[in-house]
């Protein structure tokens, strides 16, 4: 272990002890006052080891050691509150980003493995600092963590938000370590409007990203610097107590390579805001929902359109070039003892026609759950997804249907001394490819059956459980079968302050023509509640896997130990 890494581990341990002592002092000092401190702090450690024989391609799936400090307190006094969100680790375990300088604190907390955020709030004013994930709407931003600063203002029904920071670190390319590299990406977002999010409202939203080509020395070969802006109008109108209309209309301008020549032909925005270039595309998107809510019956009609060139800068993996319409009813009967919900609709892909042919996909599902008696409950689900393109020629036609069905009954017997719980589950998935050339090769059927039994003693801290499962997958390559049995037990000592668990799982799996592989996994866990708010946890697993005739003589074993000490306040 490097000296810098050891120093950070010592710092984390010191921080944990300091935070823990400060919280104890604060709780004691303010117990008679109106200051409240709620949350938790935990120190976690994972230790992993792998041994293998018979195949040199086996590689460890985890780092040997991983230490983490999680600290999530909220300090409040009358109208003032300070929520913290802190997750720190001294290591860099992924291969996407370099280790960097561990002694550089700013670089350390910007590491994607870490998280450091604070959001002090007074009445309707909130300041956002550190790592935050702004969520404005479904077509602009919502799932990208950004390290920066911002503000949220909500006086009355007015809303104003602004946030800026770094959503992507600058990383030098390193072919020897298979690091592709990346440019520093600056992120800007703003929202202004009137009304509450879950009620009638109208918001104007804008966001921008900009890559800095000067942020790294070695320019990545396969990665282009990008820029983009997106703006939208997000609205909702409640009509009475049960009906509502909500939706969003958005437009984006996105440049795939900012090194391209400037192109005034597409200029639609002021240059101070966005510069259009030869690799810039302009497009739009929209969604609309018309719905009715109710305790017994509810229904909504949902439609969405996303253009081929539309890029929501806060959702990097959104599917584009599609039109989708669904209707989604739900029904609650007999005082919520019977619940039925579902959806049926169609999705059209490749609206632009740039990917060969337009494809149509039928989408639908239904869920039902029923409390038949006090002891018996049943739930079931069914889904059907179809896909076809517009080509009629058999050679190029693509048509596929996926069907899924499942049912799960549960029966419970409660006695004065014993509680028995029986559960069954059966799921079947069927995939059919009707392409006359390759369809038979792609057909796929799978079935999963599971049965479980739990025995609990009302006057004894002992719990026993047994689970048996079978999985079969029929493909053109053969029949894959997996059979598994799990036996577990839990017991509480010292008036349930100390809880011990033990489980053993044996799984046999393999293709029909091969000798099956065998997996034996042992799980052990201990949880000790030292104080009402302080607990220590340790769990370990031993996983032994021996291949069958697929890889004769090949096997591996994995040992994983997890420890944690958690204080809740």
């Amino acid at each position: 272990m490097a000296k810098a890494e050891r120093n950070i581990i010592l710092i984390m341990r010191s921080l944990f002890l300091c935070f823990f002592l400060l919280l104890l002092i604060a709780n004691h000092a303010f117990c008679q006052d109106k200051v409240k401190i709620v949350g938790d702090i935990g120190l976690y450690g994972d230790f992993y080891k792998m041994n293998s024989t018979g195949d040199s391609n086996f590689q460890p799936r985890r780092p040997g050691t991983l230490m983490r400090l999680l600290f999530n307190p909220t300090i409040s006094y009358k109208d003032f509150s300070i929520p913290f969100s802190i997750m720190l680790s001294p290591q860099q375990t992924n291969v996407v980003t370099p280790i960097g300088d561990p002694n550089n604190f700013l670089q350390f907390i910007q590491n994607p493995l870490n998280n450091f955020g604070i959001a002090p709030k007074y009445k309707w004013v909130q300041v956002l600092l550190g790592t935050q994930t702004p969520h404005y709407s479904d077509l602009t931003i919502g799932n990208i963590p950004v390290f920066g600063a911002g503000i949220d203002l909500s006086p009355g029904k007015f809303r104003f938000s602004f946030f800026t920071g770094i959503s992507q670190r600058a990383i030098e390319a390193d072919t020897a370590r298979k690091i592709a590299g990346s440019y520093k990406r600056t992120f800007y977002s703003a929202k202004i409007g009137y009304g509450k999010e879950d009620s009638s409202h109208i918001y104007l939203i804008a966001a921008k990203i900009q890559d800095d080509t000067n942020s790294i020395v070695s320019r990545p070969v396969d990665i282009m610097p990008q820029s983009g802006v997106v703006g939208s109008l997000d609205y909702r109108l409640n009509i009475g107590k049960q009906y509502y209309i909500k939706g969003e209309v958005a437009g984006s301008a996105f440049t795939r390579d900012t090194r391209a020549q400037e192109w005034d032909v597409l200029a639609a925005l002021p240059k101070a805001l966005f510069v259009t270039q030869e690799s810039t595309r302009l497009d739009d998107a929209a969604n609309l929902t018309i719905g009715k809510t109710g305790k017994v019956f509810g229904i909504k009609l949902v439609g969405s359109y996303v253009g081929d060139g539309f890029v929501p800068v806060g959702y990097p993996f959104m599917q584009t070039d599609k039109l989708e319409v669904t209707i989604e009813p739900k029904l609650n009967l007999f005082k919520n003892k019977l619940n039925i919900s579902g959806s049926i609709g169609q999705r059209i892909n490749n609206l632009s026609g740039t990917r060969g042919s337009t494809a149509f996909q039928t989408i639908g599902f239904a869920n039902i759950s029923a409390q038949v008696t006090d002891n018996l409950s049943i739930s079931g689900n069914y889904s059907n997804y179809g896909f076809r393109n517009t080509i009629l020629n058999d050679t190029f036609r693509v048509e596929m249907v996926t069907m899924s069905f499942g049912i799960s009954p549960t029966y419970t017997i409660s006695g004065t001394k014993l509680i028995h719980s029986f559960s069954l589950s059966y799921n079947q998935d069927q995939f059919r490819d009707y392409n006359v050339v390759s369809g038979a090769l792609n057909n796929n059927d799978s079935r999963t059956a599971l049965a479980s039994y739990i025995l609990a003693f009302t006057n004894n801290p002992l719990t026993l459980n047994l689970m048996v499962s079978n999985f079969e997958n029929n493909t053109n390559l053969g029949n894959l079968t997996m059979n598994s049995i799990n036996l577990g037990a839990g017991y509480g000592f010292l008036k349930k302050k100390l809880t011990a668990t033990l489980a053993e799982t044996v799984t046999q799996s393999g293709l029909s023509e091969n000798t099956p592989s065998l997996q034996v996994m042992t799980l052990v866990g201990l949880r000790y509640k030292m104080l009402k708010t302080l607990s220590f946890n340790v769990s370990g697993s031993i996983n032994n896997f021996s291949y069958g005739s697929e890889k004769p003589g090949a096997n591996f074993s994995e040992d994983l130990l997890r420890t944690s000490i958690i204080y809740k306040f």
Side-chain angles (χ1 to χ4, degrees):
M1 184 182 296
K3 181 179 179 181
E5 189 173 307
R6 288 198 300 269
N7 290 337
I8 293 177
I9 291 177
L10 290 174
I11 292 172
M12 286 177 58
R13 291 174 179 170
S14 300
L15 285 172
F16 176 82
L17 292 175
C18 289
F19 287 145
F20 178 65
L21 291 174
L22 285 173
L23 289 171
L24 288 177
I25 294 171
N27 273 334
H28 178 73
F30 297 125
C31 63
Q32 302 299 327
D33 224 330
K34 293 184 179 180
V35 174
K36 295 181 180 179
I37 305 176
V38 296
D40 59 82
I41 178 173
L43 184 63
Y44 300 79
D46 293 356
F47 307 92
Y48 172 83
K49 183 181 179 181
M50 178 180 181
N51 295 308
S52 63
T53 58
D55 193 332
S56 58
N57 293 321
F58 289 143
Q59 296 294 329
R61 296 186 290 180
R62 294 172 172 269
T65 304
L66 178 61
M67 304 293 294
R68 290 167 294 168
L69 171 66
L70 273 65
F71 185 43
N72 301 291
T74 297
I75 304 172
S76 59
Y77 177 74
K78 294 184 179 180
D79 295 327
F80 181 75
S81 64
I82 309 178
F84 292 82
S85 178
I86 300 173
M87 181 177 68
L88 302 176
S89 175
Q91 297 138 304
Q92 181 84 27
T93 61
N94 57 6
V95 296
V96 179
T97 59
I99 294 176
D101 182 7
N103 296 312
N104 186 323
F105 181 73
L106 183 60
Q107 190 179 70
F108 172 69
I109 61 176
Q110 285 181 331
N111 181 340
L113 188 64
N114 297 323
N115 184 86
F116 185 91
I118 179 174
K121 182 178 182 180
Y122 179 72
K123 292 185 177 180
W124 48 268
V125 179
Q126 185 171 30
V127 178
L128 306 173
L129 302 172
T131 303
Q132 307 286 341
T133 305
H135 185 280
Y136 285 0
S137 71
D138 294 335
L139 294 176
T140 54
I141 62 173
N143 65 357
I144 291 182
V146 182
F147 185 84
I151 190 170
D152 282 346
L153 304 177
S154 55
K157 291 187 177 182
F158 289 95
R159 296 291 183 270
F160 173 77
S161 299
F162 175 78
F163 197 85
T164 183
I166 306 300
S167 61
Q168 178 175 281
R169 290 197 302 166
I171 302 170
E172 294 290 345
D174 188 343
T175 56
R177 298 178 55 205
K178 297 181 180 180
I179 297 176
S182 63
Y183 297 94
K184 183 179 77 171
R185 177 167 294 177
T186 306
F187 175 95
Y188 308 90
S189 65
K191 178 175 76 172
I192 185 172
Y194 181 82
K196 296 182 178 181
E197 283 75 4
D198 57 351
S199 185
S200 297
H201 67 255
I202 182 168
Y203 300 142
L204 291 174
I205 301 169
K208 176 181 179 179
I209 59 170
Q210 181 70 51
D211 287 354
D212 183 3
T213 56
N214 297 318
S215 58
I216 55 178
V217 177
S218 301
R219 306 290 172 86
V221 178
D222 300 326
I223 298 179
M224 298 175 291
Q226 300 175 337
S227 67
V229 294
V230 62
S232 81
L233 174 67
D234 180 84
Y235 61 91
R236 178 182 176 115
L237 175 63
N238 286 355
I239 305 172
K241 294 182 179 181
Q242 293 186 326
Y243 298 91
Y244 66 91
I245 298 174
K246 69 174 184 177
E248 185 176 8
V249 180
S252 74
F254 187 79
T255 301
R256 290 178 296 139
D257 189 351
T258 60
R259 297 168 299 188
Q261 292 291 326
E262 186 175 335
W263 199 18
D264 292 333
V265 176
L266 285 178
L269 298 170
K271 289 187 177 181
L273 179 63
F274 185 80
V275 177
T276 57
Q277 297 170 273
E278 291 180 348
S279 62
T280 300
R281 290 193 66 182
L282 309 178
D283 217 324
D284 49 37
N287 60 45
L288 175 66
T289 299
I290 302 174
K292 174 192 179 299
T293 62
K295 293 182 179 180
V296 176
F297 176 73
I299 190 171
K300 59 182 179 180
L301 177 66
V302 182
S304 67
Y305 162 79
V306 183
D308 183 35
F310 180 78
V311 179
V313 297
Y315 294 99
F317 304 109
M318 179 180 289
Q319 181 182 351
T320 61
D321 202 15
K322 69 167 186 175
L323 174 66
E324 183 175 312
V325 179
T326 60
I327 184 168
E328 303 174 12
K330 65 177 182 178
L331 190 63
N332 301 319
L333 300 174
F334 310 114
K335 297 181 180 180
N336 284 328
K337 289 185 177 181
L338 177 63
N339 300 292
I340 303 172
S341 63
S343 173
I344 185 69
Q346 188 165 71
R347 177 183 299 157
I348 306 175
N349 300 314
N350 190 33
L351 297 172
S352 62
T354 59
R355 295 174 176 84
S357 64
T358 301
F360 297 84
Q361 183 176 3
T362 301
I363 52 179
F365 73 88
N367 294 318
I368 182 171
S369 62
Q371 188 70 41
V372 182
T373 67
D374 292 339
N375 303 96
L376 177 63
S377 63
I378 301 176
S379 63
N381 63 82
Y382 175 82
S383 64
N384 191 295
Y385 295 89
F387 181 90
R388 62 182 175 84
N389 62 9
T390 55
I391 296 178
L392 300 178
N393 187 303
D394 284 345
T395 306
F396 300 101
R397 186 186 70 191
V398 177
E399 185 174 358
M400 297 171 288
V401 175
T402 299
M403 185 276 292
S404 178
F405 164 79
I407 185 169
S408 301
T410 299
Y411 189 78
T412 303
I413 303 174
S414 299
T416 57
K417 295 182 178 181
L418 298 174
I419 299 175
H420 306 269
S421 179
F422 304 88
S423 296
L424 297 175
S425 177
Y426 178 81
N427 288 276
Q428 180 173 323
D429 298 285
Q430 184 183 83
F431 175 79
R432 290 290 180 269
D433 185 350
Y434 294 102
N435 187 311
V436 295
V437 177
S438 61
L441 299 176
N442 295 328
N443 290 342
N444 192 318
D445 292 333
S446 66
R447 293 177 295 277
T448 304
L450 184 148
S452 66
Y453 168 66
I454 299 175
L455 173 62
F457 296 80
T458 58
N459 299 322
N460 193 316
L462 174 64
T463 302
L464 302 174
N465 62 80
L466 172 67
M467 184 174 67
V468 180
S469 65
N470 168 262
F471 171 78
E472 292 185 5
N473 187 202
N474 298 317
T475 68
N476 183 63
L477 299 176
N479 182 21
L480 172 64
T481 303
M482 183 180 298
N483 297 307
S484 179
I485 181 170
N486 172 273
L487 180 62
Y491 192 83
F493 302 89
L494 304 175
K495 297 181 180 180
K496 296 185 180 181
K497 288 185 177 181
L498 176 63
T499 304
T501 57
L502 174 64
E504 191 77 19
T505 302
V506 179
T507 304
Q508 190 180 62
S509 61
L511 291 172
S512 53
E513 64 271 18
N514 295 327
T515 303
S517 301
L518 181 65
Q519 180 185 29
V520 179
M521 178 175 286
T522 304
L523 301 171
V524 181
L526 287 174
R527 181 177 184 270
Y528 181 51
K529 199 170 184 180
M530 294 174 280
L531 299 172
K532 187 177 180 180
T533 55
L534 182 64
S535 63
F536 174 75
N537 305 273
V538 58
S539 63
S541 66
I542 301 174
N543 178 26
N544 293 299
F545 192 99
S546 299
Y547 283 88
S549 56
E550 178 187 357
K551 292 183 179 180
N555 60 78
F556 66 85
S557 65
E558 295 176 299
D559 301 331
L560 176 62
L561 177 66
R562 287 180 162 175
T563 62
S564 65
I565 182 168
I566 303 171
Y567 177 69
K568 295 184 179 181
F569 42 89

